[in-house]
Amino acid sequence: ASVPFLDLVIVAAMWCCVSIPLVFLGAYFGYKEESMEFPTVTSTIARAVPEPSFFMKPLVGISMAGMVPFAAAYVELFFIM
């Protein structure tokens, strides 16, 4: 089913009349604020970065990102059928 044209126009008008003015209002008040000062002093001594754990490796994250949604859909379909 398609979206009625009037509904599409209403959503576009709400976006243009609400979201865009709020973006510019937030930018205006954001630029008027003073700069944020950090509460601590950053050390200039370099430290060794530890080796990432097994779960932080990209290949594991990519695999999990593919398996978790598939497993959820599989379980749902298993109980439906």
Side-chain angles (χ1 to χ4, degrees):
S2 63
V3 179
F5 182 71
L6 183 61
D7 290 349
L8 190 65
V9 170
I10 290 171
V11 169
M14 287 190 323
W15 180 66
C16 289
C17 296
V18 174
S19 180
I20 293 175
L22 285 177
V23 166
F24 287 111
L25 188 68
Y28 172 74
F29 284 116
Y31 280 117
K32 283 179 55 175
E33 283 288 318
E34 295 180 13
S35 296
M36 184 173 69
E37 294 182 17
F38 296 105
T40 59
V41 178
T42 305
S43 175
T44 57
I45 300 172
R47 295 185 182 185
V49 177
E51 190 68 29
S53 65
F54 175 72
F55 294 109
M56 295 299 292
K57 298 197 186 270
L59 189 59
V60 175
I62 292 168
S63 301
M64 294 302 284
M67 283 192 288
V68 169
F70 176 77
Y74 178 80
V75 169
E76 288 287 331
L77 290 174
F78 179 78
F79 284 109
I80 289 174
M81 296 182 169

